[in-house]
Amino acid sequence: MEGEAGNFKVTLIRKPRYVDESKCTGCTVCVEYCPVKYPDQFNQEISKNKAVHIYYAQAIPLITYIDESCLFLKEKKCRICEAVCKNNAIDFNQKAERLEVKVGAVVLAPGFEPFDPGVREGYHYGEFANVVTSMDYERLLCATGPYEGEVLRASDLKHPHKIAWIQCVGSRQVNPPGANSYCSAVCCTYTQKQVILTKDHDAAAECTIFHNDIRSYGKDFERFYARAENLPGVRFIRSYVSIVKEDPENKNVTIRYASNEDGVIEEEFDLVVLSVGLAPPTGLKDLAGKFGIELNEHGFCKTNLTNPMETTRPGFFISGAFQGPLDIPEAVVTASGAGSQCGELLNYRRGDLAQERVYPPERDVADEELRIGIFVCHCGANIGRIVNVPETVEYCKTLPNVVYAQEQLFSCATNCAGEITDVIKEKGLNRVVVAACSPRTLEPLFRDTVREAGLNQYYYEMANIREHCSWVHPKAKEEATRKAKDIIRMSVARACHLEPLMEIDLPVTKQAMVVGGGIAGMTCALSIARQGHEVHLVEKETVLGGMARRIHHTMEGLDVQAYLDELIAKIYRHPLVHVYTGATIADASGYVGNFVTSVRFQGRVATIKHGATVIAVGADLYTPAEYLYGEDERVMTHLELEDRIAAGDEKVTGAAAIAMIQCVGCRNEDRNYCSRICCSESVKNALKLKEINRQMDVYILFRDMRTYGYYEDYYRDAASKDVRFIRYEQHAPPVVEAAEDENGKSVLKVTLPDYVLGKKLELDADIVALAAAVVPSGGTKEIENLFKVGLNPDGFFKEAHAKLRPVEFATGGVYLCGLATIPS
């Protein structure tokens, strides 16, 4: 690697795979005949760790290769795979290739590795047959797993009925070996998913989750947690645990844990699942050395505090878990951010390498007899486990005008989509029905598939037998099969009346509008402008900055106000950014590429034409109606506390005791979500107060401390500095009363139960700070109506797809960013 941003030369070595992938069909004959085998019952390859590997994703053979354990490569023996391959795909003459590529920017996305619990003897992983990792268990649940979606124990191939999950394996630990001090952020929620799926497999299963804190802070994750917790036979137990022994006869595993009611308990389980954390990939130090970038103390990439996609080397960006533990939506967001920054850097090359896709000419089928083809998807186990797909296919063949029907494991897979194209040509089909999942996600793919066969894309119809059938009738398989047949029959009837439609090209207004002038909106506007497009930035307040104006420093020590001033200066200096402050939107109309929005500001109305819209209206802070807020000046929100700390208010910095109460206004019936940032905000304020006044007593009253990711280190630091963390439950929240202490001093008396001591705890505090919920912005409903976008049940904006399209609306050409979508 050499060069600088905008002009890199990268040398790559492509190792030989000894397989011609243009000939390989993924038939697995070579795998079955390969004599090399080293056991791994949960391997995610179909090859089960033989020398021949076929990596599959959604049943697509993505990569086929032969590794160094091959007898021919080691000893020049065997070559069985070459003899049995009917497609002559095995090629032992392949050599390593040296490639040199010139690029202007580099995006690094090496991801993560699951923590290996085998490095800690106490987990007995690899020793006890029925102790598995969460990744192993994920494979057991999968239709392409070792037992084809059946959950079986390795020791006796029986169904486990009593299963335990142990959280924080390889995370939130500082004692070697294999210690990672950070929180891996995703483990709590993926465990809940596995519990729900386990109950789907076996409604009578007993599931126990041993945890320290439940950190379900993502969008709709609190509801997901409640869903798992309320299932019959599910227990969430807050306790550290140890794996004690394995029964030599039945191979059951005994776990020792503690409860507040019964003390130390030993309990036997059929299967124990270790919820492993996320670790940096092996070889990351070598990769960082080759590219000249720095890693942080945890072994992930070191990034810019104000730009988490920017590495320490200009022109190098990252996406995904290379910056630290991330969930899927956040990884997709970082990918979008990295792509945007590459676009800024390489703006001068925009469009130089673009090529228009050419489709085959369309057949005129207007005078042909109807010839309908039906493709019924298993969707792995999502449909196939509930709906009898083979029976449904046979039924489809009896429908009028249907000349062909078949089943597919994953219709959206590249090979299956190609199969649909081939069948259309071979059978002369002029209408196509795909019975699969929601058209919201995959309809464009199947329309494209139909076009590739020379058929007008509007001769395609989609029958949703997943969301509308298998997912809502998991316990009624016969009825679900009948309903799937009805849905397909109706789709076939509609397909008979489909007419070809022609699409036309329209001009695009190459300007954008960003609604909201907080940090997210300004950052977005600058990025668009740096890519050569004019941007209209609309802010309802008279100044830019949004909620950030109330934040003074980050946990890492960044001066937020200095950064904000610099960002605002960049906005006003950029010639392509037009700012409208004190503005409101009077009207909005149009469609993707051609919007027209009327903005009212400074006593006049401006009509703005733009091709794209970004909603970045941010969020507001809940105004507490509890804990004497608004009645006693000593009760304030966490942001008000930060303001007074920054101002050096002696009533705060000189206080003898301060109590902070978490989850005020959220995680309840009215707002069933976690505001995500409150725990870290309170820890940040607590550390600042301890820095100013070491003798101050600081109490944080919490339900679950959700200091995810690297914030866990600050949580630990606060505890080491005598910040006292006291847990309370939702049904017994703290009580705050004005009172006098034993010396007659006016104080705020905070009362709550102590679950360890089994007694009521009373605290005398000079200040009570409330970690108030993040709530949707006041103008959210108006924006929803103007731009025809959706809201979720909590009033935040609803993205097109929670996992795959987290920064897009279903409305074309309208995007979202920042707090408008979720507290972050």
Side-chain angles (χ1 to χ4, degrees):
M1 162 63 71
E2 58 184 55
E4 58 186 13
N7 188 24
F8 292 114
K9 185 167 75 172
V10 185
T11 302
L12 306 172
I13 304 296
R14 178 186 289 167
K15 293 182 179 180
R17 293 177 177 169
Y18 305 111
V19 176
D20 185 341
E21 290 183 314
S22 65
K23 298 179 180 179
C24 177
T25 61
C27 67
T28 76
V29 172
C30 56
V31 175
E32 300 303 323
Y33 279 91
C34 177
V36 178
K37 190 175 190 299
Y38 37 102
D40 181 355
Q41 59 175 319
F42 300 109
N43 198 307
Q44 57 189 326
E45 310 162 42
I46 201 168
S47 56
K48 303 291 192 299
N49 261 2
K50 291 192 175 185
V52 186
H53 299 253
I54 303 178
Y55 277 90
Y56 277 67
Q58 294 191 338
I60 318 165
L62 292 181
I63 303 173
T64 307
Y65 73 95
I66 298 173
D67 73 12
E68 61 275 5
S69 66
C70 171
L71 293 178
F72 176 74
L73 296 179
K74 287 167 55 178
E75 306 171 18
K76 299 301 179 185
K77 298 178 181 178
C78 190
R79 303 187 78 155
I80 291 177
C81 57
E82 193 175 32
V84 299
C85 181
K86 297 178 181 179
N87 300 304
N88 297 317
I90 307 299
D91 181 9
F92 284 111
N93 295 318
Q94 286 186 3
K95 305 293 182 185
E97 295 180 65
R98 183 185 179 91
L99 303 175
E100 287 192 354
V101 294
K102 293 182 178 181
V103 297
V106 178
V107 178
L108 302 176
F112 66 91
E113 286 183 0
F115 173 76
D116 178 13
V119 301
R120 299 181 77 103
E121 294 181 0
Y123 292 129
H124 299 283
Y125 179 68
E127 178 187 353
F128 293 176
N130 295 318
V131 174
V132 302
T133 69
S134 48
M135 292 295 287
D136 298 335
Y137 195 75
E138 193 78 17
R139 293 299 303 154
L140 287 175
L141 292 167
C142 185
T144 58
Y147 309 123
E148 298 181 340
E150 225 178 330
V151 179
L152 302 177
R153 303 199 317 168
S155 62
D156 51 18
L157 299 183
K158 292 182 179 179
H159 291 279
H161 177 69
K162 192 174 181 181
I163 307 173
W165 279 262
I166 300 176
Q167 299 304 105
C168 302
V169 174
S171 304
R172 304 183 67 184
Q173 298 173 352
V174 294
N175 297 321
N180 294 315
S181 64
Y182 54 81
C183 166
S184 288
V186 301
C187 317
C188 289
T189 303
Y190 77 55
T191 294
Q192 294 157 26
K193 179 198 73 173
Q194 291 181 346
V195 167
I196 290 170
L197 291 176
T198 299
K199 296 292 284 185
D200 284 344
H201 280 70
D202 177 10
E206 297 176 20
C207 301
T208 304
I209 301 89
F210 295 101
H211 67 95
N212 188 5
D213 296 289
I214 292 296
R215 294 182 169 175
S216 298
Y217 58 84
K219 192 169 189 176
D220 290 328
F221 285 6
E222 187 69 21
R223 286 188 177 85
F224 199 67
Y225 171 32
R227 176 183 168 189
E229 188 179 30
N230 292 327
L231 288 171
V234 174
R235 295 180 295 166
F236 281 81
I237 298 176
R238 188 185 297 267
S239 175
Y240 290 108
V241 304
S242 60
I243 297 175
V244 180
K245 61 185 177 182
E246 177 187 65
D247 188 305
E249 294 184 3
N250 60 21
K251 301 299 181 182
N252 286 353
V253 180
T254 298
I255 288 179
R256 181 185 294 132
Y257 65 95
S259 74
N260 293 329
E261 297 79 18
D262 303 315
V264 177
I265 301 170
E266 289 192 359
E267 188 172 349
E268 192 175 272
F269 293 89
D270 301 336
L271 187 70
V272 173
V273 183
L274 305 177
S275 296
V276 294
L278 281 53
T282 303
L284 211 54
K285 288 184 179 179
D286 292 339
L287 180 72
K290 289 174 182 176
F291 288 126
I293 62 173
E294 297 179 32
L295 302 180
N296 64 20
E297 63 272 22
H298 299 293
F300 290 100
C301 187
K302 184 177 181 180
T303 59
N304 186 335
L305 286 178
T306 62
N307 184 352
M309 277 70 70
E310 185 178 72
T311 70
T312 53
R313 182 174 182 179
F316 274 73
F317 306 97
I318 64 167
S319 71
F322 189 26
Q323 67 172 252
L326 290 179
D327 196 9
I328 293 172
E330 294 168 310
V332 175
V333 169
T334 62
S336 297
S340 178
Q341 292 182 67
C342 289
E344 295 176 33
L345 184 62
L346 306 178
N347 178 42
Y348 67 98
R349 294 295 305 275
R350 185 179 298 278
D352 288 0
L353 301 177
Q355 293 182 344
E356 185 177 357
R357 187 170 181 180
V358 178
Y359 291 92
E362 289 186 3
R363 276 170 37 215
D364 183 0
V365 300
D367 297 327
E368 294 181 8
E369 291 186 4
L370 289 172
R371 295 181 61 81
I372 301 174
I374 303 176
F375 300 85
V376 184
C377 179
H378 283 260
C379 196
N382 284 292
I383 294 172
R385 186 165 49 87
I386 308 301
V387 174
N388 187 329
V389 174
E391 179 185 320
T392 303
V393 169
E394 292 305 311
Y395 169 78
C396 291
K397 293 176 181 178
T398 68
L399 295 174
N401 303 309
V402 174
V403 298
Y404 183 82
Q406 77 165 77
E407 58 186 285
Q408 293 180 314
L409 185 59
F410 286 99
S411 295
C412 59
T414 304
N415 59 331
C416 291
E419 185 178 36
I420 294 173
T421 299
D422 294 339
V423 169
I424 292 172
K425 295 176 182 177
E426 180 185 338
K427 303 293 183 181
L429 304 180
N430 52 31
R431 303 290 189 281
V432 175
V433 175
V434 176
C437 58
S438 167
R440 285 184 60 195
T441 304
L442 292 174
E443 187 174 59
L445 168 69
F446 292 121
R447 288 199 186 282
D448 187 74
T449 299
V450 169
R451 289 186 72 184
E452 287 286 356
L455 201 61
N456 186 281
Q457 61 178 311
Y458 292 97
Y459 282 132
Y460 155 80
E461 175 66 16
M462 194 160 190
N464 186 350
I465 61 172
R466 189 180 72 177
E467 283 85 348
H468 291 176
C469 187
S470 65
W471 276 5
V472 290
H473 306 295
K475 307 299 182 185
K477 296 184 178 182
E478 291 184 8
E479 292 85 349
T481 300
R482 287 199 297 270
K483 182 176 178 180
K485 293 176 183 178
D486 283 343
I487 292 172
I488 295 171
R489 177 174 52 80
M490 289 185 284
S491 294
V492 168
R494 187 175 188 276
C496 294
H497 299 281
L498 295 176
E499 297 289 341
L501 298 175
M502 304 307 295
E503 294 184 346
I504 58 174
D505 292 330
L506 295 173
V508 172
T509 303
K510 295 185 178 181
Q511 297 184 28
M513 172 175 284
V514 177
V515 183
I519 283 184
M522 288 190 287
T523 302
C524 177
L526 268 181
S527 180
I528 296 170
R530 286 168 177 165
Q531 294 178 63
H533 303 295
E534 285 193 57
V535 186
H536 302 272
L537 180 61
V538 180
E539 167 57 41
K540 66 179 180 179
E541 302 295 337
T542 55
V543 292
L544 299 175
M547 188 67 75
R549 289 198 166 276
R550 303 186 64 183
I551 301 172
H552 297 272
H553 69 281
T554 66
M555 191 87 85
E556 300 84 359
L558 174 72
D559 185 334
V560 176
Q561 295 307 305
Y563 169 68
L564 188 60
D565 290 342
E566 181 183 347
L567 185 60
I568 293 172
K570 289 178 181 177
I571 285 287
Y572 280 109
R573 284 199 298 260
H574 203 291
L576 295 180
V577 179
H578 310 287
V579 180
Y580 306 79
T581 54
T584 57
I585 296 177
D587 186 41
S589 60
Y591 48 88
V592 55
N594 291 277
F595 293 104
V596 179
T597 302
S598 298
V599 177
R600 185 180 293 110
F601 77 110
Q602 296 179 0
R604 59 192 180 92
V605 176
T607 300
I608 302 170
K609 295 182 178 180
H610 52 105
T613 307
V614 180
I615 306 300
V617 295
D620 291 334
L621 193 69
Y622 168 67
T623 302
E626 52 267 77
Y627 301 121
L628 302 181
Y629 184 81
E631 301 175 30
D632 193 312
E633 64 176 6
R634 295 170 295 179
V635 180
M636 60 194 71
T637 67
H638 50 350
L639 288 186
E640 290 168 346
L641 176 65
E642 182 171 348
D643 275 336
R644 293 175 68 169
I645 293 172
D649 187 334
E650 291 187 3
K651 289 183 179 179
V652 171
T653 59
I658 291 182
M660 304 178 188
I661 303 177
Q662 302 303 110
C663 300
V664 177
C666 62
R667 298 188 67 193
N668 55 27
E669 292 183 3
D670 295 332
R671 296 175 196 84
N672 193 15
Y673 60 88
C674 168
S675 290
R676 181 172 180 162
I677 58 177
C678 315
C679 287
S680 54
E681 171 72 10
S682 291
V683 168
K684 179 188 75 175
N685 286 339
L687 285 170
K688 195 68 177 177
L689 288 167
K690 280 291 189 178
E691 178 186 324
I692 296 169
N693 182 356
R694 182 73 186 189
Q695 304 306 313
M696 182 187 297
D697 290 327
V698 180
Y699 305 95
I700 295 182
L701 316 183
F702 69 98
R703 288 173 57 190
D704 293 283
M705 280 306 297
R706 293 184 170 176
T707 45
Y708 56 90
Y710 300 148
Y711 292 141
E712 179 68 15
D713 292 335
Y714 297 96
Y715 174 27
R716 187 178 296 104
D717 185 30
S720 71
K721 292 178 177 175
D722 295 328
V723 175
R724 294 161 190 173
F725 293 87
I726 304 170
R727 182 171 60 89
Y728 74 91
E729 296 289 353
Q730 182 180 4
H731 65 269
V735 175
V736 179
E737 300 171 300
E740 291 183 354
D741 65 10
E742 57 188 16
N743 298 319
K745 177 186 174 184
S746 177
V747 295
L748 294 167
K749 188 174 292 294
V750 183
T751 309
L752 73 163
D754 186 302
Y755 295 99
V756 176
L757 299 176
K759 298 179 179 180
K760 184 171 288 188
L761 188 66
E762 290 186 354
L763 308 173
D764 289 342
D766 299 312
I767 300 291
V768 171
L770 308 179
V774 176
V775 297
S777 171
T780 298
K781 194 69 180 176
E782 184 180 355
I783 293 294
E784 176 197 21
N785 295 329
L786 286 167
F787 292 99
K788 310 299 186 293
V789 294
L791 301 177
N792 76 352
D794 300 314
F796 291 99
F797 288 108
K798 184 176 180 61
E799 61 285 292
H801 190 287
K803 299 290 186 188
L804 306 180
R805 297 171 62 193
V807 293
E808 302 175 54
F809 284 107
T811 303
V814 187
Y815 306 89
L816 71 162
C817 67
L819 285 170
T821 175
I822 181 179
S824 59

